[in-house]
Amino acid sequence: MLSKNQIAQRIAKEVKNGQYINLGIGIPTLVANYIPDSLEVVLQSENGLLGIGPFPKEEDVDPDLINAGKQTITMLKGSVLFNSAESFAMIRGGHVHLTILGAMEVSENGDIANWKIPGKMVKGMGGAMDLVASAENIIVAMQHCSKSGESKLLTECTLPITGVRCVKKIVSDLAVLEVSPSGGFILKERAPGVSVEEIKEKTSGKLIIEGEVPEMVFD
């Protein structure tokens, strides 16, 4: 199975030159570490920053400079700070090309549940609902199964929905999958050492296999 860093590394291959990208909390924040230097992209944070740089070294930490997940960050040359109202105007206006989010569940129709577990206290939904409703492309970074071994790739989500029919691609610790427009998870790649049979067993939703499924390749 892939580590969290390997999931992020694989997702970084989906990044295209010139994109404005929003990285969600958790595994998605690691994607910034693997974006090739040859690409010019701008990372956006919904708390009001365009131009997020890499995580700071200990001696460079500025406690007042954080991303939406409250992690300390750096700013690149030419970065811009603004209030959250302007930030959400960018998001709702469709100016974010790619959103990378974590998820607790994804359905075979591309629905995503990632903001609330009933009975557990949460401070709010954050910017996820705006992001999934507005971004051109949504990729989910997630563990394929829960700690108890239950699949997180389902026929229908059981947790409160964040957005419907919005997820385009999923990179889990077992596989890369695309969501079919007609419903179902199309298996595109498998993690090194992981068999198609194992992915079948751990996917509750409809799994579509089209021919030979290659292993992921890491540089």
Side-chain angles (χ1 to χ4, degrees):
M1 296 189 293
L2 300 185
S3 66
K4 291 179 180 180
N5 280 290
Q6 286 176 312
I7 293 173
Q9 187 178 356
R10 175 58 187 83
I11 290 175
K13 293 184 177 183
E14 303 295 323
V15 172
K16 295 180 175 58
N17 197 50
Q19 286 184 322
Y20 286 80
I21 303 169
N22 184 286
L23 302 178
I25 296 168
I27 298 174
T29 61
L30 300 173
V31 174
N33 297 332
Y34 298 101
I35 296 173
D37 293 336
S38 59
L39 297 183
E40 290 189 14
V41 300
V42 179
L43 300 182
Q44 191 255 15
S45 184
E46 60 259 39
N47 60 326
L49 172 60
L50 273 178
I52 301 171
F55 290 119
K57 296 177 181 177
E58 189 173 349
E59 62 270 20
D60 297 325
V61 168
D62 180 347
D64 292 323
L65 194 59
I66 60 172
N67 62 19
K70 300 181 178 63
Q71 295 170 305
T72 53
I73 53 174
T74 59
M75 294 172 60
L76 299 176
K77 185 177 180 180
S79 295
V80 184
L81 294 168
F82 37 85
N83 65 40
S84 59
E86 288 178 284
S87 180
F88 277 91
M90 293 175 191
I91 294 167
R92 293 168 184 166
H95 304 294
V96 176
H97 301 117
L98 172 63
T99 293
I100 302 168
L101 294 170
M104 292 177 278
E105 293 178 346
V106 176
S107 81
E108 62 186 42
N109 289 322
D111 303 344
I112 180 173
N114 78 339
W115 78 276
K116 183 178 182 181
I117 298 175
K120 292 195 175 184
M121 181 183 149
V122 292
K123 294 179 181 178
M125 64 193 69
M129 288 190 178
D130 294 273
L131 287 162
V132 299
S134 307
E136 289 180 11
N137 186 18
I138 296 168
I139 298 175
V140 168
M142 66 188 297
Q143 306 293 326
H144 210 94
C145 297
S146 66
K147 291 179 181 178
S148 61
E150 299 293 320
S151 178
K152 294 182 176 184
L153 302 180
L154 309 172
T155 303
E156 294 181 354
C157 292
T158 62
L159 295 172
I161 296 291
T162 309
V164 297
R165 295 183 178 273
C166 56
V167 175
K168 302 291 192 298
K169 184 171 285 187
I170 301 148
V171 180
S172 77
D173 52 348
L174 299 182
V176 176
L177 308 106
E178 291 181 0
V179 177
S180 170
S182 58
F185 302 106
I186 304 171
L187 182 57
K188 305 300 290 185
E189 299 174 28
R190 53 194 173 85
V194 174
S195 68
V196 171
E197 287 304 315
E198 181 178 355
I199 297 166
K200 279 183 184 177
E201 290 172 8
K202 295 181 177 179
T203 306
S204 292
K206 178 183 177 183
L207 186 65
I208 301 168
I209 300 167
E210 300 172 335
E212 200 71 28
V213 181
E215 281 193 353
M216 296 180 213
V217 177
F218 293 93
D219 298 330

